[in-house]
Amino acid sequence: MRGATLTPTTSRDGGRAVTAPGTRTPVVLKLGPGDPEPTGHADYDEVIATVPVREIPYSWVRLVRPGGTLHVSWLNPFSGPATARLTVVPEGRASGHFVEMADHPPAEEVPSVVRQAELSVPWYRTTTSLDPEVIWSDPAALFALGIRLPRLRCAQTSVGRGQVRRWVHDTTSAACAVVTPSGAITVEQHGPQLLWREVEAAYQWWEEQGRPEFHRFGLSVTSFGQFAWLDDRCSGRIWRV
């Protein structure tokens, strides 16, 4: 296609790709809130999707020509939307690093599993050395937990006097860690899954890797799934998200 002339193409935001005789300018598609699902195959040099999603449709990858780029906003369940810049290769895979993350995690409605946990006796109570405020005050830690524990979600509830309880939960279980007046940290586990143990393990992994910032993580989207990795896609530190 080098040197070819392309018919001007309308993008989703109303812009047009302008071509000069005998030249080829990049064809860009922008996907915004409320736009219909695009169709096509390898029609664009760049696709910019501004709608945060947890699962990146493989159909978006198919829209991009090999060598082109896909800018996506992946919804990290702990730290909020993070933008990744992915390059599409001839094999049909898109891979690249995260390049930007939200300044503040979005406020989410407290789910019923957490509301029910607040009103019930914990199934299991233990202690921990991991202060929840250490996690929630560190954007890099929040991002790492969200990308290591993509099936979990987080929430917070008020306990009065400006204090909050930090929760992690899935659809059946919830856990929170509370700092007591003595300085001990008590963990309350509700439901069959011991979720705070998963948080502790993920946080320890993050520390062992040198406490990496978000830009050291990457994302790959393939026809058979979506994967995250640290530093390099072929490093062996890769997992499904």
Side-chain angles (χ1 to χ4, degrees):
M1 296 297 292
R2 190 181 300 275
T5 301
L6 297 185
T7 302
T9 303
T10 303
S11 65
R12 294 294 185 192
D13 67 345
R16 297 180 67 85
V18 181
T19 58
T23 64
R24 176 185 178 282
T25 58
V27 182
V28 179
L29 173 66
K30 293 183 180 180
L31 300 175
D35 285 337
E37 182 67 22
T39 59
H41 179 62
D43 293 331
Y44 301 95
D45 298 285
E46 184 176 23
V47 170
I48 303 172
T50 61
V51 183
V53 293
R54 298 194 192 280
E55 188 74 24
I56 298 166
Y58 185 66
S59 59
W60 292 1
V61 177
R62 288 173 54 84
L63 291 170
V64 184
R65 296 187 177 99
T69 55
L70 172 61
H71 295 258
V72 292
S73 181
W74 182 69
L75 192 54
N76 184 301
F78 280 62
S79 64
T83 302
R85 184 179 187 274
L86 314 180
T87 299
V88 177
V89 299
E91 293 80 8
R93 180 186 66 250
S95 294
H97 281 85
F98 287 96
V99 296
E100 186 179 14
M101 63 182 295
D103 292 333
H104 303 284
E108 295 190 9
E109 184 178 351
V110 179
S112 60
V113 67
V114 170
R115 292 296 187 196
Q116 292 169 6
E118 282 196 305
L119 301 175
S120 62
V121 176
W123 286 30
Y124 181 72
R125 185 180 277 116
T126 186
T127 58
T128 182
S129 60
L130 181 56
D131 188 337
E133 294 307 317
V134 169
I135 300 174
W136 266 265
S137 64
D138 189 337
L142 275 180
F143 183 88
L145 289 186
I147 206 167
R148 287 293 297 175
L149 304 171
R151 71 176 183 83
L152 300 188
R153 303 291 180 262
C154 61
Q156 71 177 43
T157 57
S158 175
V159 293
R161 297 183 180 180
Q163 295 181 316
V164 297
R165 292 182 119 190
R166 307 291 190 179
W167 293 86
V168 292
H169 66 91
D170 57 16
T171 57
T172 63
S173 304
C176 71
V178 180
V179 181
T180 65
S182 67
I185 305 172
T186 300
V187 177
E188 297 180 358
Q189 307 269 6
H190 300 260
Q193 306 298 323
L194 301 182
L195 300 184
W196 196 258
R197 286 186 179 176
E198 296 186 40
V199 171
E200 290 174 324
Y203 189 86
Q204 181 180 357
W205 176 90
W206 177 66
E207 288 197 312
E208 291 171 349
Q209 307 307 312
R211 302 169 64 91
E213 299 281 342
F214 73 92
H215 55 78
R216 284 182 56 189
F217 291 93
L219 193 65
S220 294
V221 183
T222 71
S223 61
F224 51 88
Q226 178 176 283
F227 302 86
W229 35 269
L230 179 63
D231 291 330
D232 184 87
R233 186 180 62 84
C234 299
S235 66
R237 292 174 290 186
I238 184 169
W239 58 94
R240 186 181 291 271
V241 295

